[in-house]
Amino acid sequence: MIKDIFISIWKYFDIICFLGAILFAIWGCFLLSFAVGIFGIAVGLILVGYLSEKIASLQ
């Protein structure tokens, strides 16, 4: 059962790491200032949107 959980997590591991990296980058931007944090959110959403469109076009 645990092996099945790891197999299903491993399938999406790169996506989880990518989203985690964006979250920590946004957190770091907010530590600098509020305005930079808002800009970080915008850049993060643009990246996620672009990559989701690229993934959708592959199928």
Side-chain angles (χ1 to χ4, degrees):
M1 179 171 166
I2 292 178
K3 185 178 179 183
D4 293 336
I5 292 171
F6 282 127
I7 288 172
S8 61
I9 289 175
W10 189 256
K11 222 175 3 178
Y12 302 106
F13 185 71
D14 56 339
I15 297 169
I16 293 169
C17 287
F18 176 74
L19 293 177
I22 286 179
L23 287 175
F24 279 107
I26 290 171
W27 182 26
C29 288
F30 271 108
L31 289 176
L32 292 174
S33 74
F34 184 75
V36 176
I38 296 296
F39 182 71
I41 288 175
V43 171
L45 289 175
I46 289 169
L47 284 174
V48 169
Y50 174 74
L51 290 176
S52 66
E53 288 295 322
K54 291 298 269 187
I55 290 171
S57 68
L58 293 176
Q59 296 176 355

